[in-house]
Amino acid sequence: MQDTNEQHPGDEGPPGAPGVGETPCQACRGTGTVEGKPCTVCGGTGRVLQGIGGG
């Protein structure tokens, strides 16, 4: 599992930012792997940071 403090391509904001929450990665369905390799969207964590709330 990768460091959860770094930002990955699928993240919509930095870790700990207001209005950002964790959700399972849609590319790997939360497993962290795609075809036996680390997911490039979530960096192998299985989670992405997504904006929450609304305007």
Side-chain angles (χ1 to χ4, degrees):
M1 191 175 258
Q2 300 277 329
D3 180 6
T4 58
N5 290 327
E6 67 181 81
Q7 205 164 346
H8 302 287
D11 292 341
E12 294 181 359
V20 175
E22 271 191 348
T23 189
C25 176
Q26 293 295 315
C28 68
R29 297 188 175 121
T31 65
T33 60
V34 176
E35 296 180 357
K37 297 180 183 174
C39 179
T40 58
V41 175
C42 67
T45 64
R47 314 284 296 164
V48 292
L49 297 172
Q50 197 169 49
I52 57 174

